[in-house]
Amino acid sequence: MRTCVEGGAELTATEGNLEAELIDVLRARVLESMPSAQVPACMEFVRQYYHWVPAEDLADRSEGDLYGAAISHWTAARRRGPGQSKVRVYNPDAERDGWHSPHTVIEIVCDDMPFIVDSVTMELSRQGHPIELLIHPVIRVRRDHRGELIGLLEPGALGSDAIAESAIHAEVTREPDRDKLAALLVAIERVLGQVRAVVQDWEMMRERARTLARELAAGPPPVDRAELDEARAFLGWLSDDHFTFLGYREYELVCDSDHAVLSAYPGSGLGILRGHAASPHTELRSQALELARAPHLLVLTKANSRSTVHRPGYLDYIGMKRFGQDRQVTGERRFLGLYTTAAYKASPREVPLLRGKVAAVMARAGFPPDSHDAKALTDILVSFPRDTLFQIEVDDLFETAIGVLGLGERQRVRLFVRRDQLDRFISCLLCLPRDRFNTENRERAGAILAEAFGGSLVDWSLQLSESVIVRVNYIVHCPDGVPGDYDVGEIEERIVEATRAWTDDLRAAMNDEHGEEQGLLLY
């Protein structure tokens, strides 16, 4: 049981009686304090505002402060224009605001939309503001033609003219700097605008993928038939709830003897790429130009920025090239977004493009279908990091998968490296003996990789199985491009030494002194 204290009085709050006691007291204050015309709607607002908040989140807060927070949000919600997002970022002061909080408070009233809470909390984290409290009722309201709130519906009540609105109250570590509060307000408004653009344009972006698939059938570009069929199937697979479309834009490739430029088509942007491009003309050099001109239909990679909508991963980049009558590349249609959970759970043998890579590696390996090696190689391919599997070429996939297979259950350190097509990051698969894997060794290996490749940031993910080998996937982001003179063997040896335990040296010394058979027995 917890208590909320107001002066000398105690207000009991537990999971079972929170609404019955705390909310009823707050509604009684509404009845006493608010103009009679506002009372019915305001009482319902307060009830829904706190209804789903865990009791422990409201412990040790006074009745006056709980009332003040709800009424402040009610005041913001009373008038709102169609599609308007109202945001306030402030440090509540008892004299000015009628209530107090030791935290900085963010109040939002806007149309309820997918991704909104995730996107706002992501932005708060990105700005370095840990969240102390989050309240998020979705309230169905009626408004008149001026946007004035004229009524609230009870949860589950029907009303064709009702609007579902999000009321988000977030409290973060107190920020005293006014300039930083203003910057946080701007950042949240920007994210809300991006969420709205994505939600409004999502169906158009999905339909664009389907349209491009139909175009490939009607006017096939000059690529291999098998590649064309897989590209069509892949676009259809994306639009079947396997990709969260966040942005789309079309580009023209303009080349002359000296350089090449990728220029955004005005007005072609959707979602987060709506409006004018921040950099409408991008000059392509070396690897980027080679990739743009290559006679392959799709470009699958990662964008060099994280998503501000839905989840904070690096955006997935899917580009489909456009060809001219001379069979040369003339432009690109580009989607930005995130593969969905369903995409990551699907077997690679069922996903367009991936199924061809898996089949090509298995055919090149040539193992009898029912053999141990065939089953082990299949397991390696199926468990391969999905993002890497979308991007990797068959030759690189074969080399890495066969290398992991050859490692078997031998407790050795192995490092496999793959460059990004645009030289922006390098993907590293590190195999470590299970008894060497711990947080300290993972961080040591990451630091070595960052130094070796000039990386500014290292992301990692982990693959654990019943094997004695642990696979750690590192993505090293290289702001100055991936260096061309690295030595994988030398980097691997540095990781071997950095993750080596004294017991490894003991075993090696015993083997040297007494021979492997006797040494292992002594060990």
Side-chain angles (χ1 to χ4, degrees), residues 272-284:
I272 61 174
L273 297 180
R274 266 190 192 182
H276 296 292
S279 301
H281 307 292
T282 304
E283 187 167 354
L284 303 181

Side-chain angles (χ1 to χ4, degrees), residues 108 112-126 131 134 136 166 168 191-192 195 307-313 338:
I108 299 171
D112 185 48
M113 298 176 285
F115 315 136
I116 191 168
V117 174
D118 292 341
S119 302
V120 169
T121 56
M122 275 165 43
E123 185 61 31
L124 293 175
S125 297
R126 187 164 42 246
I131 297 174
L134 183 67
H136 174 229
S166 279
I168 301 175
V191 166
L192 292 174
V195 171
S307 173
T308 57
V309 176
H310 187 28
R311 35 176 225 270
L338 298 165

Side-chain angles (χ1 to χ4, degrees), residues 185-224:
L185 171 65
V186 171
I188 292 172
E189 288 178 332
R190 182 184 66 247
V191 166
L192 292 174
Q194 290 177 332
V195 171
R196 180 175 296 280
V198 166
V199 172
Q200 290 178 341
D201 292 351
W202 177 80
E203 184 57 46
M204 285 188 288
M205 291 186 282
R206 184 166 74 159
E207 184 56 34
R208 192 68 187 126
R210 291 170 172 167
T211 299
L212 293 180
R214 291 192 292 268
E215 287 181 6
L216 292 179
V223 298
D224 179 78

